Each structure stands twice: as C-alpha cells, then as structure tokens.
Amino acid sequence: MRIVLAPMEGLLDFRLREILTQVGGYDECVSEFIRVNDTLLPAHRYYRVVPELKTASKTNSNIPVKVQILGSDPNCMAENASMAASLGAYGIDINFGCPAPTVNRNRGGAALLKEPELMFQIVKAVRNSVPKEIPVTAKMRLGFDSTEQTLDCAKALEEGGAKEIVVHARTKTDGYKPPAYWEWISKIKSTLNINVIANGEIWTIEDAFRCQKISDCQDLMIGRGAVSNPALALMIKGILQDRFEWIEIKKILMTYWITMTEGMDGVSKTGRIKQLLQYLSREYEEAKLDFHRIKQISNPKELETLYFSEFYSLINS
C-alpha cells in the first residue's frame, strides 16, 4: 500500500507538508497547484510553491514531491512542465479536479472534465515535453455535474500517457459533501491498464479499508483526514494504534506557527491556525475549545501571547 499526501489549496502547503511527512506514514506528496495561463512561468514561481525542488524534490524526511500544474492550453502546459522538470521535479501531476469556481470559470481544474479530448491533448503534450524517467500523473473527479463522461475522461488520461491517476470519488457539483462514490473508482480501475489511487472521504482506518475494498485500489490519497488526524497514515499502515495526544498536536501547531514566520503576513498566519484547528476539531474536543478561544483574534502578536506562549518550551523538550 502507498499513501499519498494530497494538496489542499490554501492550507496544506510546503510548511505543513514538511511537518506531516516528518510525522510519517507517507510515500509521496503532491504540491498545491501552480496556475498556468499563457506564459512560461519563471523559476521563482515554482520554488515559491515547491521549495523542495531545491532539495532533489524531496521533503527533509526524504519523501518525494510531485509538482502539480493546472491549466487548459496544451502547449503552455507542456512548456511549464518542461520548466518544472528542468528544476528537478520528481514528477509532474496535472489537476483535473479543482472545484473552485474561480478556477473553473477560467477553464481550469474540474471544468476540463467536460472536454475529454482536451484532457488527452494536455496529458500527451506534457508527457512528450518531459524526460521519460519523470512520471506524469493526473488527478480527476468523477465529472463536472454528472458521471456521464467519467470513463471517457479516465481513458483520455491513460491514452495521453499518464502513468497513474488519482480519482476523487465525487463530481465537481458534489463538492466535498459526503458520501464519496468509491464504487465508481472500481469501474474506472477495471477499465484502465494503469494504476489508480483512491481519494475522497477517508477520515479513519475503517474508512481506508472500506475504500480499498469498494474501490478495488490498494493505494490511497488522503488530505482533509490527514490534517484532522496527523497520525492517520501511520494508523492505516498499522504503525500506530491510536491518534496522538493533544499535547503532541499542540506541538505540531506550534511548529507550523514558527515556520510561517517568514513569507507570510500576520493575518494569513492567524487564519491558517484557525483553519487547522477547525479540521482538528473533527478529532479533538480541545481543538474546538481552542478555536472558540481565538476565533476573534487577527493580530499575530496577540495570538502568540494568548495561545502559544506557554508552549515555547515544548518545542525543544
């Protein structure tokens, strides 16, 4: 079994990716998407989203990171994939699943699920633009507003040259509302000759095993479940029997806070901590209490004084 850490735009960035891979249980990561429009992006745009490119495209825990790109122009996507490859990308992943309206309005992400032929052209152009040893993969949903073209989209990715695909088992219209339709992943897998990774609504060990059984996939991608329970990957693999105690989670929060010191404004920092606490609230009652304690705070100094000061000593303990 491989467990891949999913990207979560606006939260699961390189900082949190570093922390979660250090916790352990992951075999691979995928970066937040890099938006490709009609230009060849400069190197610093890639380094900003995927600083691991400077360390052989791996986190400090030696977990490889694929660079994810999003766009609708095959030639431009190919040029930018080539750029990412030249910077040392471990792999190139193409986003056909983002449900964000701003992305979809600009013919990106899940909007392309209405155009299987264009999906094929994008994957083929990207595959032809990067060295053979660099894997090209893709992530898709079951469709935009229906499953009518699900299998056509999956076949388009395979025929374009994708080595494997991740399937988020919901349509764009479904958003993130449960349930995830894992049975559809099984249909996709039975149609293709490449590896398929199951994704969507995996919050617990039980979810993971049910997903594997219903989807007929050994490999899993987890995102929101990983943020809600940082020990989840280790638990799925049987390395840990239970989640971390809250004191360990508080250390993770503290470490994340410290890593945000550079390159992020204060309001964004406090927003990220609140986001993280909201996800953790699914597993930890303490997170609910802490969120309500700080939800009105936007000043980072105030947050640090109120929430983190007593935990500084724990980071070095």
Side-chain angles (χ1 to χ4, degrees):
M1 182 202 323
R2 292 160 58 221
I3 298 182
V4 182
L5 182 61
M8 290 176 63
E9 187 66 23
L11 179 63
L12 216 167
D13 61 358
F14 65 89
R15 302 171 183 90
L16 195 50
R17 187 160 64 234
E18 178 60 42
I19 291 168
L20 291 177
T21 55
Q22 189 172 15
V23 167
Y26 298 99
D27 300 283
E28 192 175 283
C29 308
V30 179
S31 77
E32 295 173 289
F33 68 75
I34 296 171
R35 185 72 164 100
V36 173
N37 290 313
D38 56 358
T39 59
L40 178 60
L41 299 172
H44 70 82
R45 289 283 297 277
Y46 292 89
Y47 290 135
R48 185 171 67 195
V49 178
V50 196
E52 295 97 339
L53 287 169
K54 296 179 180 179
T55 54
S57 201
K58 294 181 179 180
T59 68
N60 288 333
S61 303
N62 208 38
I63 305 303
V65 182
K66 287 180 181 172
V67 176
Q68 188 180 83
I69 56 176
L70 179 153
S72 57
D73 182 274
N75 292 331
C76 198
M77 288 284 280
E79 289 177 356
N80 280 276
S82 180
M83 167 64 86
S86 73
L87 297 175
Y90 157 78
I92 306 295
D93 189 70
I94 307 172
N95 185 317
F96 295 109
C98 179
T102 52
V103 169
N104 297 160
R105 279 196 297 270
N106 289 288
R107 208 184 181 195
L112 292 169
L113 295 166
K114 295 183 282 187
E115 303 182 70
E117 176 59 29
L118 181 55
M119 293 172 68
F120 165 78
Q121 291 173 12
I122 290 169
V123 175
K124 184 177 180 182
V126 169
R127 176 65 278 172
N128 290 340
S129 72
V130 301
K132 290 182 180 179
E133 64 271 16
I134 295 179
V136 172
T137 59
K139 185 179 181 185
M140 63 173 279
R141 283 178 172 251
L142 298 181
F144 189 80
D145 51 13
S146 77
T147 55
E148 185 177 348
Q149 293 182 290
T150 303
L151 298 181
D152 290 337
C153 289
K155 289 175 185 175
L157 300 179
E158 178 180 47
E159 291 168 4
K163 180 182 179 181
E164 68 180 5
I165 64 171
V166 175
V167 179
H168 182 122
R170 285 180 272 233
T171 66
K172 182 272 179 191
T173 304
D174 292 330
Y176 294 96
K177 299 190 298 285
Y181 302 97
W182 296 326
E183 63 276 9
W184 261 103
I185 303 180
S186 179
K187 293 179 186 178
I188 292 169
K189 184 174 171 61
S190 67
T191 304
L192 304 184
N193 295 308
I194 57 175
N195 190 46
V196 178
I197 300 174
N199 172 236
E201 215 61 24
I202 300 171
W203 299 97
T204 65
I205 299 174
E206 293 75 21
D207 289 338
F209 293 159
R210 281 197 311 114
C211 178
Q212 286 180 313
K213 182 176 181 179
I214 294 171
S215 70
D216 197 30
C217 294
Q218 278 295 106
D219 298 339
L220 305 173
M221 174 180 275
I222 57 176
R224 294 181 301 155
V227 175
S228 300
N229 177 6
L232 181 58
L234 294 170
M235 292 168 65
I236 293 170
K237 288 187 171 181
I239 298 169
L240 282 183
Q241 298 304 308
D242 204 354
R243 67 186 193 181
F244 296 132
E245 296 293 330
W246 179 247
I247 192 75
E248 295 302 318
I249 298 299
K250 196 68 178 269
K251 287 183 182 182
I252 288 173
L253 284 163
M254 182 72 179
T255 303
Y256 189 44
W257 178 258
I258 291 171
T259 64
M260 288 190 286
T261 301
E262 294 183 10
M264 189 174 291
D265 65 78
V267 174
S268 295
K269 285 173 61 178
T270 58
R272 289 288 177 96
I273 292 297
K274 292 174 190 177
Q275 262 187 300
L276 197 43
L277 283 170
Q278 285 184 298
Y279 276 106
L280 289 164
S281 294
R282 186 182 177 99
E283 288 284 330
Y284 294 92
E285 187 64 30
E286 297 93 333
K288 291 181 185 177
L289 297 173
D290 283 1
F291 174 75
H292 286 293
R293 192 173 149 211
I294 70 167
K295 67 179 180 179
Q296 300 300 329
I297 298 174
S298 58
N299 185 301
K301 290 186 187 264
E302 186 181 351
L303 180 65
E304 191 162 342
T305 300
L306 175 66
Y307 190 56
F308 286 123
S309 58
E310 72 271 27
F311 282 91
Y312 272 121
S313 60
L314 292 177
I315 297 300
N316 297 314
S317 64

